[in-house]
Amino acid sequence: MEKLSLNQITTKSWSLPEAVRGCAESGVEWIAFWRDKVAEVGVDEAARLVKDHGLRVSSLCRGGFFTGVTPDGSPVDGVADTRVAIDEAARLGAEVLVLVVGGIADNNLVRSRQLVADAVEELVPLALDRGVRLGLEPLHPMQCAERSVLSTLDQALAIAEPYPAEAVGVVVDEFHVWWDPRIEDLIAKAAGRIAGFHVCDQLVPLTDTLLGRALPGDGPIDHRRLRSCVEAAGYDGPIEVEVFNADLWARPGDEVLAETIQAYRTHVA
Amino acid sequence: MEKLSLNQITTKSWSLPEAVRGCAESGVEWIAFWRDKVAEVGVDEAARLVKDHGLRVSSLCRGGFFTGVTPDGSPVDGVADTRVAIDEAARLGAEVLVLVVGGIADNNLVRSRQLVADAVEELVPLALDRGVRLGLEPLHPMQCAERSVLSTLDQALAIAEPYPAEAVGVVVDEFHVWWDPRIEDLIAKAAGRIAGFHVCDQLVPLTDTLLGRALPGDGPIDHRRLRSCVEAAGYDGPIEVEVFNADLWARPGDEVLAETIQAYRTHVA
């Protein structure tokens, strides 16, 4: 249990204060925040709540969108927004700022990927200054066009490599990388760079590219195998359970958290 | 135009005789068949129609499902079914039998992959005997659980490598591999093994994991770049336009074929 972190998207019906209180009452020592939930109470109040309840913040979701477009096609200055997010992460005491790098701009995949590398270069000094680690998270290839031109772990490692490991790491999220035939080798290659390990399962059939996820144990992902790879690569930090699932989101947070803890114990720990 | 092949799934509203006639009348010299459409008229009649209209068959879709389950979870003897498909391909004069290898059985990804390698080993002698090339087609990672534990081109090459190139090749289908950061290198590595090149585009947003495809030009895929990679790797065979799209399927075949030819000329050739 001591490594379990509740990524608060899993208990989406809960406000931030409710999620913090829920974790504290259930013996969950870590929590991962989303910026929209933080904004509802303010950064300083969120930081105070975490401290008062004796929790630690595994990560803040999220910065990124460096290709200049959001998933619905609206323009965004991802670098400027991520500067703000780095500041928020520092104030929250979050160890990692998760980056969702952005989808394809102007139907140009090659240039979009370059924009991501350029943005990381630009943000590293601020990240080092604020003591926040940037977590490059490869997203599933089905999200390449809309959300993330960063699709595989070795691609993330190549972007991170020029910088100190404390400035830029990679986030291993099972949903996004479990299918990769090279995943064991790639996780081993990521030794020293792993900034987070996120677990969930994939629904079968997969009918929704974003919400087709489930609690660990309800799909084909071998969580213990992937956890052992991540640990063999030297990662001993928190393990976030992060589930995008409309049915789960519609249910009361306390029920969902109880099931999350049970699923973690049965299939991950 | 001389390399364009109509994969008949694109004009799904057409019967096989209609598709053959449509190609002949439009100057399309190649066609790719699906076994359900062949079965409606019989293998020998399909072969006669092709010959009478002066067409060539680029591929037959499909054998596979070696993990023993269909996408809807029903049991299937994929090896036995593929033996029949090899025979059909030979009688049709199809250069390639496309293989969709099957999804995950019993939630065991490692064993499912082994079943695929075992099945290919078992089928190679028959393929050589009948002069049919087995085409291992990596499918998009979002189809890993239900349709294909073969997800990347290098994974397909590793399975093909022990066998003669005329017995086992790999099929490069843009929809399935375009997102791969290593795709240029992997296509180069596939030199001598490329048994087919399938083109289409990806719809954005991607709302359907199977049908989220479009004619070339209606999405983010850079067809000329991928075609030049495939050609640089020595492939000079037919180029199939293969589109799974419910709107297209609902329309008259002659309209769809005309748009297919136009899209191919504008974005691929």
Side-chain angles (χ1 to χ4, degrees):
Chain A
M1 274 288 280
E2 74 271 12
K3 289 188 183 176
L4 170 61
S5 178
L6 174 70
N7 185 299
Q8 75 169 136
I9 199 90
T10 306
T11 52
K12 203 182 181 201
S13 66
W14 263 349
S15 67
L16 186 144
E18 289 171 326
V20 167
R21 199 176 310 121
C23 285
E25 289 173 357
S26 304
V28 175
E29 299 173 26
W30 295 87
I31 192 164
F33 285 149
W34 279 69
R35 292 172 69 201
D36 57 336
K37 295 281 191 186
V38 171
E40 288 172 5
V41 295
V43 176
D44 295 331
E45 173 65 4
R48 190 191 66 74
L49 281 166
V50 163
K51 195 179 168 199
D52 286 356
H53 286 80
L55 299 184
R56 285 179 287 177
V57 181
S58 54
S59 74
L60 178 65
C61 297
R62 59 195 184 189
F65 293 102
F66 301 134
T67 58
V69 282
T70 64
D72 66 8
S74 308
V76 63
D77 183 342
V79 173
D81 181 62
T82 303
R83 289 188 188 280
V84 177
I86 290 170
D87 179 68
E88 291 173 7
R91 288 159 65 196
L92 290 164
E95 310 213 332
V96 175
L97 175 66
V98 173
L99 299 179
V100 170
V101 302
I104 300 177
D106 302 323
N107 274 358
N108 190 329
L109 180 56
V110 174
R111 182 166 171 277
S112 298
R113 286 179 176 149
Q114 188 57 50
L115 288 173
V116 173
D118 294 348
V120 171
E121 182 178 20
E122 197 173 339
L123 290 165
V124 161
L126 180 64
L128 282 169
D129 180 65
R130 302 307 309 268
V132 171
R133 195 177 195 188
L134 302 175
L136 288 166
E137 180 169 326
L139 298 202
H140 196 290
M142 66 187 163
Q143 300 180 350
C144 181
E146 291 140 278
R147 275 189 170 70
S148 176
V149 294
L150 182 58
S151 307
T152 64
L153 205 48
D154 49 340
Q155 194 189 0
L157 289 170
I159 296 172
E161 198 181 22
Y163 312 107
E166 68 267 27
V168 188
V170 299
V171 174
V172 179
D173 182 309
E174 292 184 329
F175 179 75
H176 297 301
V177 301
W178 71 276
W179 56 268
D180 194 323
R182 304 173 301 143
I183 191 61
E184 281 109 336
D185 292 344
L186 296 181
I187 290 174
K189 199 178 156 197
R193 288 274 180 191
I194 299 175
F197 179 43
H198 298 182
V199 300
C200 76
D201 231 308
Q202 182 192 295
L203 289 176
V204 181
L206 180 64
T207 53
D208 191 297
T209 61
L210 189 66
L211 304 179
R213 313 187 208 189
L215 287 171
D218 292 340
I221 300 177
D222 188 340
H223 309 283
R224 291 219 163 78
R225 181 175 67 93
L226 291 174
R227 183 175 66 96
S228 73
C229 291
V230 166
E231 289 177 354
Y235 181 76
D236 65 354
I239 299 174
E240 292 184 16
V241 179
E242 181 187 31
V243 184
F244 288 61
N245 177 299
D247 292 335
L248 219 55
W249 288 355
R251 292 176 49 210
D254 54 351
E255 284 182 26
V256 175
L257 179 56
E259 287 178 27
T260 297
I261 292 169
Q262 185 60 42
Y264 177 84
R265 283 185 161 139
T266 309
H267 299 286
V268 182
Chain B
M1 275 287 281
E2 74 271 14
K3 289 187 182 175
L4 170 61
S5 178
L6 174 71
N7 186 300
Q8 74 169 137
I9 200 89
T10 306
T11 52
K12 204 182 180 199
S13 66
W14 262 349
S15 66
L16 186 143
E18 289 171 326
V20 168
R21 199 176 310 121
C23 285
E25 288 173 359
S26 303
V28 175
E29 299 173 26
W30 294 87
I31 192 164
F33 285 149
W34 279 69
R35 291 173 70 202
D36 57 337
K37 295 282 191 185
V38 171
E40 287 171 5
V41 295
V43 177
D44 295 331
E45 172 66 5
R48 189 191 67 74
L49 282 166
V50 163
K51 195 179 168 199
D52 286 357
H53 287 80
L55 299 184
R56 285 180 288 176
V57 181
S58 54
S59 75
L60 177 66
C61 298
R62 60 195 186 192
F65 294 102
F66 301 134
T67 58
V69 282
T70 64
D72 66 8
S74 309
V76 63
D77 183 342
V79 172
D81 182 61
T82 303
R83 288 189 188 281
V84 176
I86 290 171
D87 179 68
E88 292 173 7
R91 288 158 65 197
L92 290 165
E95 309 213 332
V96 175
L97 175 66
V98 173
L99 299 179
V100 170
V101 302
I104 300 177
D106 303 324
N107 274 357
N108 190 328
L109 180 56
V110 173
R111 180 166 172 278
S112 298
R113 286 178 176 151
Q114 187 57 50
L115 289 172
V116 173
D118 294 348
V120 171
E121 181 178 20
E122 197 174 337
L123 290 165
V124 161
L126 180 64
L128 282 169
D129 180 65
R130 302 306 309 269
V132 171
R133 196 176 195 189
L134 302 174
L136 288 165
E137 180 169 326
L139 297 202
H140 196 290
M142 66 187 163
Q143 300 180 352
C144 181
E146 291 140 278
R147 274 189 172 70
S148 177
V149 294
L150 182 58
S151 307
T152 63
L153 205 48
D154 49 340
Q155 195 188 359
L157 289 170
I159 296 172
E161 198 181 23
Y163 311 107
E166 69 267 27
V168 189
V170 298
V171 174
V172 179
D173 182 309
E174 293 184 328
F175 179 74
H176 297 300
V177 301
W178 71 275
W179 56 268
D180 194 323
R182 304 172 301 141
I183 192 61
E184 279 109 337
D185 293 344
L186 296 182
I187 291 174
K189 200 178 155 196
R193 287 275 179 190
I194 300 175
F197 179 44
H198 299 182
V199 300
C200 75
D201 230 309
Q202 182 192 294
L203 289 176
V204 181
L206 180 66
T207 53
D208 191 298
T209 61
L210 189 64
L211 304 180
R213 313 187 208 188
L215 287 171
D218 293 339
I221 300 177
D222 189 339
H223 309 283
R224 290 219 164 78
R225 182 174 67 93
L226 291 174
R227 183 174 66 95
S228 73
C229 291
V230 166
E231 289 176 353
Y235 181 74
D236 65 354
I239 299 174
E240 292 184 15
V241 179
E242 182 187 31
V243 184
F244 287 62
N245 179 298
D247 293 335
L248 220 54
W249 289 354
R251 293 175 48 209
D254 53 350
E255 283 182 25
V256 175
L257 179 56
E259 287 178 28
T260 297
I261 293 169
Q262 186 60 42
Y264 177 83
R265 282 185 161 139
T266 309
H267 299 285
V268 183

